[in-house]
Each structure stands twice: as structure tokens, then as C-alpha cells.
């Protein structure tokens, strides 16, 4: 749900959205330079009709090739197109090369400001500090004297009528105008900074990217898509109204779905200009206070959303599609693929743990399904979540429990018994697993780290509570045979990373392993003794710039969670204010006694940060930034 935030004072920020051009294609072009400058596309691991296209070069787009096509279709309209198959591992697309390439770019972009990795190939930057510093170097009347890079002169300035031969001259004048207001001057500095960054990305990685520069995230994102590839677009405050006027509301973030449909169907609103004609009160009456204010704001280009300090992905996901006749129809086939997805997911969780000292806390299973004889296609297979236990077999086991729980609920919509006679009526067409709620492990907790990397008996003893879930489950004696029968000609599809980002997570179905409760944000149940009984404490996520939980300034026992981010001064200023709160004295120490002996001491130390020397920790960027030469 959108959150209405005040936009006041946010219009002096300098925010950029950087998006790599036809990203997977560029990664393949770097591996095989002969693919540069020619029509090319990356296709899914799926040979049916030449495979589904997931990334298309701009040369191929000129022939009318689009992402929604299959390889054969693309060849029909562009016979000389080069189709490159996405790398494959475990019978499914392996996106690790693309993820790593994305990290290379992030490490460069993060050098100039707060950086939020928004997807595999998209980044938001808050360049306000850098722009202010640059502006300070050039006092009034001096900015025009700064030599301007040719690439910056190719920028598109929204609202500036600069068509024709004098484009670069007009842009130059706009950038160096002595009489511009401060906000425009800051944006002009943003133009110069983003130009430098894009050039650096190209030089170091061989990738081109496009960018949008504006006073907020929403406008920057919309702007980056205006001129592609390898271009940048600026939206000054004075041009916002015109910029948004004819924009279809469906292009706005969060209006692509239900709320957007409601606006269209119930009020006949097609464009942002249409939306801006409604008063805030009217929108609040129709859509509630929060949504109403948010809609009123976005219609005016007001968006107070901060750029979060995050260089690493928010979640990990692994998924696969089973289209048409390849749909899965027996539990054993589902289990086979869940095991594959779990392997993939665990590999990434382990590497995140090793490299970045981060752990994920929630495992979610998503699936799409249909009932072969069913008529009601509106019923969706429910996504199911539970606390994530580290170790491949545990993930496999928990994912199967989630699947059975989801299947039972899904079939319940149709009055079908999940594991009864009619079990063959269901079909699964996509399966995916995601690991989310990722937090950093406090620095210095090396034995906690070990606990997560090993398949410890302690976690093995914490089994999902819904034993009954297993009753109708897998009796896997002949799995391989069954799989061969059913999935011999499975066509593989890469689900894409985006699909896994926003999950509607259901409530946990099991009690949290004790150790996980130490790391759990949200409403995790942390048992404390209170008048002889247990009560739950509310933890809410609060990144801090240090690697350790700390007492707050008031010394009242509030703890701040460690941030997985670089700790620049501005980044610190914008950390969220909510905190993990507990009263140290109220914690039941028997909880600690449950932990493996080697970590008990560390956890005790952690719970009493006052007695602990808080180590200065390097920002997470240190994991990415190139070593000084
Ligand atoms: N991707 C995917 N499945 C999708 C959409 C995208 O696997 N349904 C992958 C391939 C893309 C990458 O994500 O290369 C980035 O997606 P974008 O939407 O940013 O598209 P591109 O970078 O390919 O092209 P553009 O230059 O239009 O941004």
C-alpha cells in the first residue's frame, strides 16, 4: 500500500535513477564482443519455439523484436538475430553472471552518494551532498566557467525546447545559467555527476546505462525510461506538471495494478493530468485518507520517499515455470523441483552469509496453479511463509510443508480434498522460493556465523509444528522414475528476478528457532519473563551505521539493529528512527541457555552492549569497492 509522505523540502534533493540498457544482452556482449552492434537477444532455457526472449538488443528492437516474443517469431522478422541462451544450472536459468555484473555497476555508482540497489540492473542514488559540494566549488556566476563534458551536453532537459541543431548549446546554457534558482543549479550539478558516473561505468565494465535526474525517486525513475539507450534525462521542478500531464497512470509505480484499475474504471482517469483534477478530499473519500493523499501528491510529482542505503539485494529468489503440458501434477514432481530450487537458493544464501555476513529470516513459497476442471480462475494459490532455517535439507523440508499447506488451502477453495481421489485435478505452472527479511549479523559474532553455515543439530530439532501437513505428503520411493515420466520434456523458463521481489507474505506457520528470534525484526516473538509468564516484544527494524546493536543516547535499553549499508554522514542522517526495544533485565536468560555453548557468551555480550567496546565497522561498500591500486 502506498504511504503518503510529506514532500516538503524534498524538492531540493538531487536523486538519480540509473538503469542498465538491455542488461542481459550487454552481459553476453561483453563475453562475446562479436555480438556488439548486431541484433541479439537472450532467450530463456526453453527450446520451445526458440525460447522466450527476456532481453533484446536495441539493434533487434529496430526490427520490431520485443521481449514478449519467442525466438522463432523474432527470427521471422529479423533473420540475422543472434539468440543467446541464458546460462543454465540445475535444469533452470542461472542468473549469477548477471547478478555479479549488476554488483560491479553498483560498486561504481555508490562512490558518489547514497545508493539503493532496486533490482538486478537498477539503482537509485541520492546525490544531494555531492551536488551541493560541486555547487559550492562554483559560487554564483562561476558555474558557467566550468568546462562541461560533451556527454553531459547530450542530456535531455524536460521542458527545454531544444530540438534541432542547437541542442547541445541549449543544454550548455541551461546547465550554466547564472540566474537559475538553487534547485535547478543543484540538478545541473546532478547532470554533471551522473555523466561522470555513466562514463566510469562504461569504462570499467563496458556497460552503457540510462539515467533520470530529478528531485525525487518517482520522477527520476520515470525520467530514466524517457530516452534510452545510453542517455540521461532531467526533470526540473518547473517542468513537472507538463512532464506528468499526458503520462498514463499505469506507468506510475504502484498504479499498475488494482488501484490503477479502480482509478480507470470508477473515475475514468487515464492520465496523471486527469488525476490532478481531483481534490485531495475527493480522493480521500474514495480511496481512504492515506491512499487519497498519496494519489493527490503523485499527481503533482510530490514524493518524499528516501533513497535507502542498500547495495545488496533485499531478497533472494529462485523460480521456474512449467507452462502448458509441462505443468506439475503430482506431489513428487513438485518435490523434485522444490529440491532444485532449494539448492539454488541455499547456494546464494550461503554466499551472502560468507561474503556479506547477512542472514535471511523468512522463507516464502509462491506458486501458480489451476484446476483442470475448474471454472473459477480467480482463485490464486496462496503464498506461504515460515521462518527460514539454514541448511539445504531444512529448506527443502520447510518448502514442501509450505507447498502442502498452500495446496490444501487452494483446493479448499474448490471443495477438493488436497490428497484425496481428485488430487490429479490440480496443476502447478510456476514454483518459486524466496528468502527475505535479510539482516546483517553483528560484527564479531563469528561463532553465530558458524552456527548458520553448519547443519547444526539444534536447528534440526526445531521442526515445523504442523505435523499433519506431512500426512498426505511425499512417500518418495520412486521419485526419479516419476519425474522422468512426467517431466521428461519440461520446458524451462526463467522467472526473472523481479517477480520475486514483492511478496505478500503469509503469517509464519511455525515457532521461530531460538537463534532466529535474536535477529528478527517485525513482530517477532521474543520471550521475556513477566510476572511468571512469557510475553512477546515488538521489534521494529532500525538500521544503524555501526555493525553492533547499541544502546541509544538515552541509555534506556533500546537497541538499534545493524545496517547493511555504507555509513556516510548523510546515510546516517536518513536512517529510520524506529528501534528494537527491550528491557535487558526482562529477558529470560533460559533463552540464552538454549543456545549452543560456544555462542552463549557472545549473545550475552551482545545483550549487554554497555560493557562492550563498539568496534568501528567499515561500510558494506568495502566488499565491493575495488582495492586501492
Ligand atoms: N528480465 C527478465 N524477465 C523479465 C524482465 C526482465 O529476466 N520479464 C531481465 C532481463 C533484462 C533485465 O532483467 O535484461 C533487466 O530488465 P529491464 O526491464 O531493465 O530491461 P532491459 O535492461 O533488458 O532493457 P531496457 O534497456 O529497456 O531497460
Amino acid at each position: 500500500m502506498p504511504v503518503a509522505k510529506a514532500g516538503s523540502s524534498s524538492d531540493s534533493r538531487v536523486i538519480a535513477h540509473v538503469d542498465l540498457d538491455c542488461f542481459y544482452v550487454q552481459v553476453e556482449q561483453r563475453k562475446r564482443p562479436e555480438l556488439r552492434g548486431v541484433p541479439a537477444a537472450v532467450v530463456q532455457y526453453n527450446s520451445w519455439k526458440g525460447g522466450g526472449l527476456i532481453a533484446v538488443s536495441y539493434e533487434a528492437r529496430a526490427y520490431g523484436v520485443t521481449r514478449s516474443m519467442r525466438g522463432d517469431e523474432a527470427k521471422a522478422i529479423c533473420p540475422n538475430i543472434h539468440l543467446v541462451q541464458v546460462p543454465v544450472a540445475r535444469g533452470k536459468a542461472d542468473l549469477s553472471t548477471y547478478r555479479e555484473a549488476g554488483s560491479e555497476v553498483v560498486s561504481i555508482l555508490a562512490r558518489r552518494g547514497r545508493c539503493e540497489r532496486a533490482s538486478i540492473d537498477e539503482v537509485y542514488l541520492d546525490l544531494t551532498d555531492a551536488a551541493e559540494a560541486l555547487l559550492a566549488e562554483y559560487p554564483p556566476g562561476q558555474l558557467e566557467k566550468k568546462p562541461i563534458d560533451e556527454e553531459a551536453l547530450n542530456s535531455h532537459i524536460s521542458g527545454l525546447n531544444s530540438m534541432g541543431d542547437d541542442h547541445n548549446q541549449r543544454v550548455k546554457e541551461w546547465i550554466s545559467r547564472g540566474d537559475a534558482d538553487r534547485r535547478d543549479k543543484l540538478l545541473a550539478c546532478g547532470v554533471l555527476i551522473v555523466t561522470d558516473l555513466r562514463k566510469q561505468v562504461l569504462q570499467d565494465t563496458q556497460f552503457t546505462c540510462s539515467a533520470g535526474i530529478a528531485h525525487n525517486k518517482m520522477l527520476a525513475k520515470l525520467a530514466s525510461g524517457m530516452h534510452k539507450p545510453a542517455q540521461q534525462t532531467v526533470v526540473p521542478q518547473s517542468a513537472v506538471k507538463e512532464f506528468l500531464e499526458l503520462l498514463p497512470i499505469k506507468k506510475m509505480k504502484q498504479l499498475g495494478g488494482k488501484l490503477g484499475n479502480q482509478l480507470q474504471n470508477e473515475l475514468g482517469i487515464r492520465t496523471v493530468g486527469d488525476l490532478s483534477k481531483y481534490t485531495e478530499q475527493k480522493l480521500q473519500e474514495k480511496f481512504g485518507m492515506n491512499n487519497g493523499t498519496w494519489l493527490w501528491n503523485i499527481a503533482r510529482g510530490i514524493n518524499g520517499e528516501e533513497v535507502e542505503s542498500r547495495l545488496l539485494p533485499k531478497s533472494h529468489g529462485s523460480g521456474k515455470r512449467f507452462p502448458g503440458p509441462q505443468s506439475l501434477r503430482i506431489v513428487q514432481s513438485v518435490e523434485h523441483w522444490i529440491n532444485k530450487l532449494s539448492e539454488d537458493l541455499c547456494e546464494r544464501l550461503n554466499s551472502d552469509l560468507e561474503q556479506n555476513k547477512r542472514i535471511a529470516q523468512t522463507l516464502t513459497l509462491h506458486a501458480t496453479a489451476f484446476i483442470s476442471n475448474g471454472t473459477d480462475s480467480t482463485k490464486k494459490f496462496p503464498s506461504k511463509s515460515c521462518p527460514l532455517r539454514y541448511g539445504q535439507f531444512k529448506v527443502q523440508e520447510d518448502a514442501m510443508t509450505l507447498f502442502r499447506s498452500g495446496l490444501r488451502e487452494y483446493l479448499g477453495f474448490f471443495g477438493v480434498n488436497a490428497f484425496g481421489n481428485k488430487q490429479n485435478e490440480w496443476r502447478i505452472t510456476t514454483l518459486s522460493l524466496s528468502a527475505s527479511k535479510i539482516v546483517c549479523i553483528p560484527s564479531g559474532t563469528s561463532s553465530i556465523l558458524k552456527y548458520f553455515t553448519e547443519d547444526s543439530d539444534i536447528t534440526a530439532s526445531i521442526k515445523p509444528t504442523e505435523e499433519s501437513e506431512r500426512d498426505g505428503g511425499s512417500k518418495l520411493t520412486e521419485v526419479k522414475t516419476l519425474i522422468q515420466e512426467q517431466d521428461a520434456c519440461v520446458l524451462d523458463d526463467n522467472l526473472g528476478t523481479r517477480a520475486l521481489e514483492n511478496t505478500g507474505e503469509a503469517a509464519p506457520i511455525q515457532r521461530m528457532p531460538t537463534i532466529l528470534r535474536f535477529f528478527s525484526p517485525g513482530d517477532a516473538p521474543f520471550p521475556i519473563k513477566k510476572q511468571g509468564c512469557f510475553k512477546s516484544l515488538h521489534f521494529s527494524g532500525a538500521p544503524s551505521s555501526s555493525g553492533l546493536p547499541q544502546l541509544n543516547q538515552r541509555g534506556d535499553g533500546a537497541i538499534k539493529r545493524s545496517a547493511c549499508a555504507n555509513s556516510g554522514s548523510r546515510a546516517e542522517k536518513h536512517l529510520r528512527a524506529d528501534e528494537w526495544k527491550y528491557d535487558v533485565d526482562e529477558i529470560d536468560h533460559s533463552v540464552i541457555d538454549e543456545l549452543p555453548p560456544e555462542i552463549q557468551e557472545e549473545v550475552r555480550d551482545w545483550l549487554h552492549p554497555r560493557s562492550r567496546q563498539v568496534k568501528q565497522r567499515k561500510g558494506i561498500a568495502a566488499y565491493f569497492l575495488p582495492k586501492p591500486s
Side-chain angles (χ1 to χ4, degrees):
M1 175 178 294
V3 177
K5 282 191 185 171
S8 62
S9 83
S10 65
D11 61 359
S12 54
R13 292 180 302 160
V14 178
I15 309 293
H17 177 258
V18 181
D19 185 12
L20 285 142
D21 303 312
C22 56
F23 183 45
Y24 288 11
V25 173
Q26 287 206 78
V27 175
E28 297 303 328
Q29 285 171 330
R30 186 168 69 169
K31 282 192 238 161
R32 293 171 53 191
E34 72 275 15
L35 295 176
R36 286 193 194 285
V38 299
V42 174
V43 294
Q44 285 164 333
Y45 172 47
N46 175 347
S47 55
W48 185 65
K49 292 191 175 177
L53 272 51
I54 50 175
V56 181
S57 77
Y58 281 81
E59 291 81 1
R61 292 184 203 193
Y63 287 82
V65 178
T66 63
R67 181 185 281 156
S68 54
M69 290 178 178
R70 303 215 70 96
D72 291 354
E73 222 180 318
K75 280 213 176 266
I77 58 170
C78 179
N80 54 345
I81 192 169
H82 295 261
L83 299 178
V84 184
Q85 194 194 273
V86 76
V88 171
R90 300 187 182 94
K92 60 182 284 300
D94 174 13
L95 305 181
S96 49
T97 339
Y98 306 128
R99 275 188 217 106
E100 281 154 24
S103 299
E104 287 176 48
V105 175
V106 170
S107 72
I108 297 163
L109 297 177
R111 291 173 193 169
R112 298 296 293 272
R114 186 148 29 100
C115 175
E116 174 182 332
R117 188 173 189 170
S119 79
I120 200 162
D121 76 331
E122 275 176 284
V123 163
Y124 287 101
L125 299 172
D126 187 332
L127 299 172
T128 314
D129 285 351
E132 275 170 357
L134 185 57
L135 192 59
E137 271 182 51
Y138 294 92
Q142 296 295 304
L143 193 60
E144 51 270 50
K145 295 189 184 150
K146 181 177 163 48
I148 297 176
D149 191 289
E150 193 63 24
E151 183 55 35
L153 300 181
N154 292 329
S155 303
H156 302 268
I157 318 282
S158 192
L160 186 73
N161 185 6
S162 61
M163 300 300 283
D165 293 343
D166 65 347
H167 176 95
N168 290 16
Q169 182 54 34
R170 302 285 309 270
V171 173
K172 185 171 183 186
E173 285 164 13
W174 186 86
I175 290 174
S176 46
R177 261 183 326 155
D179 62 345
D181 78 6
R182 184 175 163 78
R183 292 174 308 178
D184 275 6
K185 282 185 179 167
L186 285 171
L187 282 188
C189 291
V191 168
L192 303 179
I193 296 164
V194 173
T195 304
D196 283 351
L197 286 170
R198 288 180 42 241
K199 286 179 75 173
Q200 198 64 53
V201 167
L202 183 61
Q203 187 183 313
D204 294 0
T205 67
Q206 303 173 30
F207 300 144
T208 66
C209 50
S210 300
I213 304 143
H215 292 305
N216 64 48
K217 279 171 90 172
M218 180 187 82
L219 293 170
K221 162 109 180 156
L222 289 168
S224 70
M226 299 295 284
H227 298 97
K228 282 188 128 253
Q231 295 171 70
Q232 59 188 44
T233 307
V234 193
V235 187
Q237 192 61 34
S238 56
V240 171
K241 190 171 186 308
E242 190 190 340
F243 178 77
L244 293 176
E245 185 70 23
L246 299 176
L247 193 80
I249 51 159
K250 289 280 189 175
K251 295 247 175 204
M252 305 290 281
K253 193 179 161 194
Q254 290 169 308
L255 289 185
K258 208 170 143 192
L259 187 55
N261 287 340
Q262 239 181 313
L263 287 168
Q264 281 192 348
N265 303 337
E266 294 175 25
L267 298 177
I269 292 172
R270 295 268 172 277
T271 64
V272 179
D274 295 342
L275 181 62
S276 69
K277 298 196 177 89
Y278 286 81
T279 63
E280 185 174 6
Q281 194 191 353
K282 181 86 194 155
L283 292 168
Q284 285 176 339
E285 278 166 21
K286 188 90 191 136
F287 302 103
M289 294 296 280
N290 197 38
N291 278 352
T293 300
W294 179 78
L295 286 167
W296 189 88
N297 279 337
I298 62 158
R300 283 149 191 83
I302 299 169
N303 172 247
E305 209 185 319
E306 295 287 349
V307 173
E308 285 172 34
S309 199
R310 174 162 42 80
L311 309 187
L312 297 167
K314 228 174 171 174
S315 62
H316 299 294
S318 181
K320 186 170 165 65
R321 287 175 56 200
F322 308 95
Q326 284 71 50
S327 60
L328 308 180
R329 58 196 75 183
I330 54 173
V331 172
Q332 286 85 346
S333 303
V334 171
E335 182 150 20
H336 169 82
W337 285 110
I338 278 183
N339 289 351
K340 296 264 183 207
L341 300 180
S342 302
E343 264 178 55
D344 185 28
L345 188 65
C346 289
E347 198 171 286
R348 285 166 53 205
L349 286 170
N350 289 338
S351 115
D352 201 2
L353 180 63
E354 256 170 50
Q355 288 172 23
N356 311 314
K357 316 285 178 281
R358 302 198 309 164
I359 53 160
Q361 300 172 103
T362 302
L363 175 72
T364 305
L365 177 130
H366 318 261
T368 51
F370 67 94
I371 295 283
S372 57
N373 302 324
T375 46
D376 186 353
S377 58
T378 60
K379 300 287 182 234
K380 302 240 181 314
F381 193 100
S383 292
K384 292 277 169 190
S385 298
C386 68
L388 196 152
R389 300 188 299 153
Y390 272 66
Q392 192 180 311
F393 294 111
K394 292 175 197 124
V395 170
Q396 289 172 351
E397 186 182 24
D398 292 350
M400 272 313 289
T401 303
L402 295 176
F403 172 75
R404 290 195 190 94
S405 164
L407 182 62
R408 180 169 294 135
E409 195 175 316
Y410 177 71
L411 295 181
F413 297 142
F414 303 92
V416 178
N417 175 353
F419 305 102
N421 292 339
K422 294 189 177 174
Q423 64 169 304
N424 287 335
E425 286 185 5
W426 55 264
R427 303 281 183 270
I428 297 294
T429 51
T430 66
L431 262 185
S432 71
L433 286 180
S434 64
S436 59
K437 294 200 180 157
I438 300 181
V439 294
C440 281
I441 293 181
S443 60
T445 49
S446 56
S447 46
I448 290 179
L449 201 67
K450 187 165 151 250
Y451 178 89
F452 281 101
T453 45
E454 285 171 3
D455 243 2
S456 150
D457 284 347
I458 299 275
T459 49
S461 70
I462 302 158
K463 295 266 164 56
T465 51
E466 296 191 8
E467 290 295 327
S468 60
E469 295 287 356
R470 294 200 195 95
D471 297 346
S474 55
K475 294 190 177 70
L476 279 180
T477 45
E478 301 292 333
V479 179
K480 283 198 173 145
T481 324
L482 284 161
I483 300 303
Q484 277 158 11
E485 276 169 18
Q486 194 159 18
D487 295 326
C489 59
V490 160
L491 305 179
D492 295 271
D493 260 333
N494 146 39
L495 271 181
T497 47
R498 280 135 199 258
L500 303 173
E501 275 174 5
N502 300 315
T503 67
E505 287 167 3
I509 60 164
Q510 68 180 71
R511 197 172 152 262
M512 258 194 172
T514 306
I515 185 72
L516 286 187
R517 281 181 252 144
F518 279 98
F519 299 103
S520 179
D523 290 333
F526 191 109
I528 58 166
K529 223 188 252 164
K530 189 85 180 171
Q531 290 164 351
C533 60
F534 288 107
K535 81 166 190 186
S536 279
L537 276 183
H538 290 266
F539 281 35
S540 52
S544 102
S545 60
S546 92
L548 290 167
Q550 297 169 20
L551 287 174
N552 66 7
Q553 294 296 310
R554 304 183 306 276
D556 62 2
I559 279 191
K560 287 186 177 183
R561 180 157 56 99
S562 69
C564 303
N566 52 342
S567 56
S569 60
R570 193 167 182 92
E572 282 173 20
K573 256 188 269 168
H574 289 277
L575 294 172
R576 289 205 325 247
D578 46 345
E579 296 166 332
W580 285 12
K581 289 200 171 152
Y582 72 88
D583 183 340
V584 174
D585 298 324
E586 284 189 314
I587 288 182
D588 177 12
H589 284 252
S590 66
V591 167
I592 300 165
D593 297 337
E594 284 180 48
L595 298 170
E598 76 266 27
I599 69 167
Q600 287 186 15
E601 206 181 307
E602 245 176 296
V603 174
R604 285 205 177 90
D605 202 16
W606 184 27
L607 290 172
H608 295 282
R610 251 179 279 227
S611 60
R612 179 174 190 148
Q613 177 104 37
V614 177
K615 275 192 233 155
Q616 204 52 39
R617 190 181 176 217
K618 273 197 214 159
I620 202 87
Y623 290 105
F624 293 99
L625 293 174
K627 293 191 176 60
S629 51

